[in-house]
Amino acid sequence: MQLLEHTPVFDVDTAAAIAGEHFGIRARAYALPSERDQNFLLTNQGGEKFVLKIANALESRTFLEAQNSVLKHLEPRVSICQKLLPATSGDEIVTVKSHFVRLVYYLPGVPLAEIRPHTVGLLHDLGRKFGQVAKALADFDHPAVHRDFHWDLANGNRVVNEFAPSIDNGSLRDLVLKCRYVPPASLRRSVIHGDANDYNLLVDPQCLTVSGLIDFGDMVYSYTAGDLAIAIAYVILDKTDPHAAAAQIVSGYRSEFALLDEEIEALWPLVRLRLAMSVCLAAHQLRQQPGNKYLLISQKAIEENLPRIYADDRRID
């Protein structure tokens, strides 16, 4: 959790200068929200858009190389992931003041969090696109993603145990502790995106289909069904019938990639565990960075909806 102490602090003018010097992009820069890195939207005079990604000072080059590898692996297989733009030197990663920097093409779309209502078609398409990603990642691997990572669902119980004391609301803290879950040891594993929240998913507002999946910074070798569980966790927060919404996503997912029966059994408990982890980590991180508004994203909705999500433990089919 020392990552937040090493977050880059570049301003928009410096970001624009980096883009020009290293990537040959003359553009205006606009800061984008991030938990532990810095991202800048770049727009050149021709209207082309890019995203400059400045990594946390503690981020390893090897892991960034893994992110680059997965983007190149996914590019010919799925339509919703970003494409790398190398520096003018040909390097995919450059170093600026002890921070690794990369550039990717911008993906158009509106964050899923800003789209309402979530139609049945949109939810089904969300599941379908994640099924395509899961299928594409089935034969991908990289040593750097086999790591001990605090957002990994496989570490969920440890995270809850360690950080639940940071939650000031006693009833919420007790509920979060009840969300601990031990999946079967045989649960299938593979490389996953790891952070399929509704701000990392982009939607075409005209067609109401998923147009982008961004930010592989939480990529990890973990439960194959983890991406599906994480996507469901954030989508169902404002739904009057969370299970019905989840079922639409699962249906779309299964149209592209088969779920094993034990994964279906584990899916709802993993959804609850992810929400519990989010509450715990946000509470802890806010004590470190009380002014970081990004850390508050989803927290109010989780606090309001976790009680009924916990109470309903039906299997998602």
Side-chain angles (χ1 to χ4, degrees), residues 68-106:
N68 290 349
S69 293
V70 78
L71 291 179
K72 290 184 288 187
H73 177 85
L74 290 172
E75 184 183 347
R77 295 170 172 83
V78 299
S79 61
I80 61 171
C81 295
Q82 290 170 308
K83 181 181 177 181
L84 283 167
L85 183 63
T88 53
S89 64
D91 296 326
E92 294 176 346
I93 302 172
V94 298
T95 305
V96 179
K97 296 181 179 178
S98 301
H99 291 275
F100 295 124
V101 180
R102 298 175 297 145
L103 190 71
V104 296
Y105 285 95
Y106 171 82

Side-chain angles (χ1 to χ4, degrees), residues 240-256:
T240 55
D241 189 343
H243 261 85
Q248 292 296 335
I249 299 172
V250 170
S251 174
Y253 186 94
R254 297 174 79 178
S255 72
E256 296 284 346

